[in-house]
């Protein structure tokens, strides 16, 4: 999952992003959490430029559990948008 213009701060295992990390997307959305095999995996939080955040548990780049205490969950309409945004941000792109 590497986008042009992104910044990754963390470790690599066998050339893939792995472990506790910080990943900053070109949109200035920042992910802080666990990575495995180059994807969001485990506990992690997306921080959006507008100050909102999305706390979740990730599995192979997809959200599997959402923290309802996350400040972004204030209105149902916004929460559906947050899930879509989070899943879009975690799509894996292959190199080549």
């Amino acid at each position: 999952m590497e986008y042009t213009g992104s910044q990754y701060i963390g470790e690599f295992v066998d050339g893939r992003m792995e472990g506790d990390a910080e990943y900053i997307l070109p949109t200035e959305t920042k992910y802080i959490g666990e990575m495995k095999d180059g994807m969001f995996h485990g506990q992690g939080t997306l921080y959006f430029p507008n100050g909102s955040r999305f706390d979740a548990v990730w599995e192979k780049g997809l959200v599997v559990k959402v923290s309802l205490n996350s400040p972004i969950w204030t209105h149902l309409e916004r929460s559906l948008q947050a899930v879509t945004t989070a899943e879009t941000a975690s799509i894996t792109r292959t190199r080549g």
Side-chain angles (χ1 to χ4, degrees):
M1 169 186 65
E2 294 183 51
Y3 293 94
T4 301
S6 295
Q7 180 182 8
Y8 173 74
I9 302 166
E11 295 182 33
F12 289 87
V13 173
D14 295 327
R16 304 203 46 123
M17 298 176 280
E18 187 106 10
D20 291 331
E22 182 174 335
Y23 189 86
I24 305 166
L25 295 156
T27 60
E28 297 182 24
T29 297
K30 183 188 306 184
Y31 172 81
I32 297 178
E34 300 172 63
M35 303 279 286
K36 183 177 179 181
D37 201 26
M39 293 179 272
F40 299 169
H41 191 87
Q43 292 285 124
T45 301
L46 283 173
Y47 295 91
F48 298 95
N50 68 1
S52 297
R53 62 186 258 187
F54 182 75
D55 303 310
V57 175
W58 306 77
E59 188 172 307
K60 296 181 182 178
L62 299 175
V63 174
V64 294
K65 184 178 178 184
V66 176
S67 170
L68 296 180
N69 293 325
S70 185
I72 203 166
W73 294 100
T74 55
H75 297 92
L76 179 60
E77 307 82 43
R78 288 175 57 199
S79 62
L80 293 174
Q81 180 182 6
V83 170
T84 302
T85 301
E87 288 181 348
T88 300
S90 66
I91 293 173
T92 302
R93 304 237 173 156
T94 56
R95 290 184 179 182

